[in-house]
Coordinates of all heavy atoms in Angstrom, one line a residue:
P71 N 3.8 -5.8 9.7 CA 4.0 -5.4 8.4 C 4.9 -6.5 7.5 O 5.5 -7.4 8.2 CB 4.8 -4.1 8.5 CG 5.5 -4.4 9.7 CD 4.5 -5.1 10.6
Q72 N 4.9 -6.2 6.2 CA 5.7 -7.1 5.3 C 6.5 -6.0 4.5 O 5.9 -5.2 3.8 CB 5.0 -8.0 4.4 CG 4.3 -9.1 5.2 CD 3.6 -10.0 4.2 OE1 3.8 -10.0 3.1 NE2 2.8 -10.9 4.8
L73 N 7.9 -6.2 4.4 CA 8.6 -5.5 3.6 C 9.1 -6.2 2.3 O 9.6 -7.3 2.5 CB 10.0 -4.9 4.3 CG 10.9 -4.1 3.5 CD1 10.4 -2.7 2.8 CD2 12.1 -3.8 4.3
W74 N 8.7 -5.6 1.2 CA 9.2 -6.2 -0.1 C 10.2 -5.3 -0.7 O 9.9 -4.1 -0.9 CB 8.0 -6.4 -1.0 CG 7.0 -7.4 -0.5 CD1 6.3 -7.3 0.6 CD2 6.9 -8.9 -0.9 NE1 5.5 -8.5 0.6 CE2 5.9 -9.4 -0.2 CE3 7.5 -9.5 -2.0 CZ2 5.5 -10.7 -0.3 CZ3 7.2 -10.8 -2.2 CH2 6.1 -11.5 -1.4
V75 N 11.4 -5.9 -1.3 CA 12.4 -5.0 -1.8 C 12.7 -5.8 -3.2 O 13.1 -7.1 -3.2 CB 13.7 -4.9 -1.0 CG1 14.8 -4.1 -1.9 CG2 13.2 -4.1 0.3
D76 N 12.7 -5.1 -4.3 CA 13.0 -5.7 -5.6 C 12.2 -7.1 -5.9 O 12.8 -8.0 -6.3 CB 14.5 -6.0 -5.6 CG 15.3 -4.8 -6.4 OD1 14.6 -4.0 -7.0 OD2 16.4 -4.8 -6.2
G77 N 11.0 -7.0 -5.3 CA 10.1 -8.1 -5.7 C 10.2 -9.3 -4.7 O 9.7 -10.4 -4.9
E78 N 11.1 -9.1 -3.6 CA 11.4 -10.3 -2.8 C 11.0 -9.8 -1.3 O 11.2 -8.7 -0.9 CB 12.9 -10.5 -2.8 CG 13.4 -11.3 -3.9 CD 14.8 -11.8 -3.7 OE1 15.2 -12.3 -2.7 OE2 15.6 -11.7 -4.7
L79 N 10.3 -10.9 -0.6 CA 9.9 -10.5 0.7 C 11.3 -10.6 1.6 O 11.9 -11.5 1.7 CB 9.0 -11.6 1.2 CG 8.6 -11.6 2.7 CD1 7.9 -10.3 2.9 CD2 7.7 -12.7 3.1
I80 N 11.5 -9.4 2.3 CA 12.5 -9.2 3.2 C 12.0 -9.7 4.5 O 12.8 -10.4 5.2 CB 13.0 -7.8 3.3 CG1 13.5 -7.2 2.1 CG2 13.9 -7.6 4.5 CD1 14.5 -8.0 1.3
G81 N 10.9 -9.4 5.0 CA 10.3 -9.9 6.3 C 9.4 -8.9 7.0 O 9.0 -7.9 6.5
G82 N 9.3 -9.2 8.2 CA 8.4 -8.3 9.1 C 9.1 -7.5 10.0 O 10.5 -7.2 9.8
C83 N 8.5 -7.0 11.0 CA 9.1 -5.8 11.9 C 10.4 -6.3 12.6 O 11.4 -5.6 12.5 CB 8.0 -5.4 13.0 SG 8.7 -4.2 14.1
D84 N 10.5 -7.5 13.1 CA 11.7 -8.0 13.8 C 12.9 -8.1 12.9 O 14.0 -7.5 13.2 CB 11.4 -9.3 14.3 CG 10.6 -9.4 15.6 OD1 10.2 -8.1 16.1 OD2 10.0 -10.3 16.1
I85 N 12.6 -8.6 11.7 CA 13.8 -8.7 10.7 C 14.2 -7.3 10.2 O 15.3 -6.9 10.1 CB 13.3 -9.6 9.4 CG1 13.2 -11.0 10.1 CG2 14.3 -9.4 8.3 CD1 12.7 -11.9 9.1
I86 N 13.2 -6.4 9.9 CA 13.5 -5.0 9.5 C 14.4 -4.3 10.6 O 15.4 -3.6 10.2 CB 12.1 -4.2 9.2 CG1 11.5 -4.9 7.9 CG2 12.5 -2.8 8.9 CD1 10.1 -4.4 7.8
L87 N 14.0 -4.4 11.8 CA 14.6 -3.7 12.9 C 16.1 -4.3 13.1 O 17.0 -3.6 13.3 CB 13.9 -3.8 14.2 CG 12.5 -2.9 14.2 CD1 11.9 -3.0 15.5 CD2 12.9 -1.5 13.9
E88 N 16.1 -5.6 13.0 CA 17.4 -6.3 13.2 C 18.4 -5.8 12.0 O 19.5 -5.6 12.3 CB 17.2 -7.9 13.2 CG 18.6 -8.6 13.5 CD 18.2 -10.1 13.5 OE1 17.4 -10.5 14.4 OE2 18.9 -10.9 12.8
M89 N 17.9 -5.9 10.9 CA 18.7 -5.4 9.7 C 19.2 -4.0 9.8 O 20.4 -3.7 9.6 CB 17.9 -5.7 8.3 CG 17.8 -7.1 7.9 SD 16.9 -7.2 6.4 CE 18.1 -6.7 5.2
F90 N 18.2 -3.2 10.3 CA 18.5 -1.7 10.5 C 19.6 -1.5 11.5 O 20.6 -0.9 11.3 CB 17.3 -1.1 10.9 CG 17.6 0.5 11.1 CD1 17.5 1.3 10.0 CD2 17.7 1.2 12.3 CE1 17.8 2.8 10.0 CE2 18.0 2.4 12.4 CZ 18.0 3.3 11.2
Q91 N 19.5 -2.3 12.6 CA 20.4 -2.1 13.7 C 21.9 -2.7 13.3 O 22.9 -2.1 13.7 CB 20.0 -2.9 15.0 CG 18.7 -2.1 15.6 CD 17.9 -2.9 16.5 OE1 18.2 -4.1 16.7 NE2 17.0 -2.4 17.3
R92 N 21.9 -3.6 12.5 CA 23.2 -4.2 12.0 C 23.8 -3.4 10.9 O 24.8 -3.8 10.4 CB 23.0 -5.6 11.5 CG 22.7 -6.6 12.6 CD 22.6 -8.0 11.9 NE 22.4 -9.1 12.9 CZ 22.1 -10.3 12.6 NH1 22.0 -10.8 11.3 NH2 22.0 -11.2 13.5
G93 N 23.0 -2.4 10.4 CA 23.5 -1.6 9.2 C 23.4 -2.4 8.0 O 23.9 -1.9 6.9
E94 N 22.4 -3.4 7.7 CA 22.2 -4.1 6.5 C 21.0 -3.5 5.8 O 21.1 -3.7 4.5 CB 21.9 -5.5 6.9 CG 23.1 -6.2 7.7 CD 22.6 -7.5 8.1 OE1 21.6 -7.9 8.1 OE2 23.6 -8.3 8.6
L95 N 20.1 -2.8 6.4 CA 18.9 -2.4 5.7 C 19.2 -1.1 5.0 O 18.9 -1.0 3.8 CB 17.8 -2.1 6.7 CG 16.5 -1.7 6.1 CD1 15.9 -2.8 5.2 CD2 15.5 -1.1 7.2
Q96 N 20.1 -0.2 5.5 CA 20.3 1.0 4.8 C 20.9 0.8 3.4 O 20.5 1.4 2.4 CB 21.2 2.0 5.7 CG 20.6 2.3 7.0 CD 20.8 1.3 8.2 OE1 20.9 0.2 7.9 NE2 20.9 1.8 9.4
P97 N 22.0 0.1 3.3 CA 22.6 -0.1 1.9 C 21.7 -0.9 0.9 O 21.6 -0.5 -0.2 CB 23.8 -1.0 2.1 CG 23.8 -1.5 3.5 CD 22.8 -0.7 4.3
L98 N 20.9 -1.7 1.5 CA 19.9 -2.5 0.7 C 18.8 -1.4 0.0 O 18.6 -1.5 -1.1 CB 19.2 -3.5 1.5 CG 18.0 -4.3 0.8 CD1 18.5 -5.1 -0.5 CD2 17.3 -5.1 1.7
I99 N 18.3 -0.5 1.0 CA 17.3 0.3 0.5 C 18.0 1.4 -0.4 O 17.4 1.7 -1.4 CB 16.7 1.0 1.7 CG1 15.9 0.0 2.6 CG2 15.8 2.3 1.4 CD1 14.8 -0.7 1.9
K100 N 19.2 1.9 0.0 CA 19.9 2.9 -0.9 C 20.2 2.3 -2.3 O 20.0 3.0 -3.4 CB 21.0 3.4 -0.3 CG 20.8 4.2 0.9 CD 21.9 5.1 1.4 CE 21.5 6.0 2.6 NZ 20.5 7.0 2.4
E101 N 20.7 1.0 -2.4 CA 21.0 0.5 -3.7 C 19.7 0.2 -4.5 O 19.7 0.6 -5.7 CB 21.5 -0.9 -3.3 CG 23.1 -1.1 -3.5 CD 23.4 -2.6 -3.2 OE1 22.7 -3.4 -3.7 OE2 24.3 -2.8 -2.4
T102 N 18.5 -0.1 -3.9 CA 17.4 -0.4 -4.6 C 16.8 1.0 -5.1 O 16.4 1.2 -6.2 CB 16.4 -1.1 -3.7 OG1 16.9 -2.3 -3.3 CG2 15.1 -1.4 -4.5
A103 N 16.9 2.0 -4.3 CA 16.4 3.3 -4.7 C 17.2 4.0 -5.8 O 16.7 4.7 -6.6 CB 16.4 4.1 -3.4
A104 N 18.5 3.7 -5.8 CA 19.4 4.3 -6.7 C 19.2 3.6 -8.1 O 19.4 4.4 -9.1 CB 20.9 4.0 -6.4
K105 N 18.5 2.6 -8.2 CA 18.0 1.9 -9.4 C 16.9 2.6 -10.0 O 16.8 2.5 -11.3 CB 17.7 0.4 -9.4 CG 18.8 -0.4 -8.9 CD 18.3 -1.8 -8.7 CE 19.3 -2.6 -8.0 NZ 18.7 -4.1 -7.7
T106 N 16.1 3.4 -9.4 CA 14.9 4.1 -9.8 C 15.2 5.5 -9.4 O 15.8 5.9 -8.6 CB 13.7 3.4 -9.2 OG1 13.8 3.7 -7.7 CG2 13.6 2.0 -9.4

Side-chain angles (χ1 to χ4, degrees):
Q72 291 185 14
L73 175 61
W74 292 76
V75 176
D76 269 342
E78 290 187 38
L79 175 64
I80 301 302
C83 182
D84 290 346
I85 291 171
I86 294 166
L87 293 180
E88 186 176 306
M89 288 179 70
F90 183 80
Q91 290 164 353
R92 287 184 177 170
E94 297 168 354
L95 186 64
Q96 298 86 328
L98 174 65
I99 297 302
K100 290 197 180 300
E101 260 178 47
T102 303
K105 296 178 193 173
T106 60

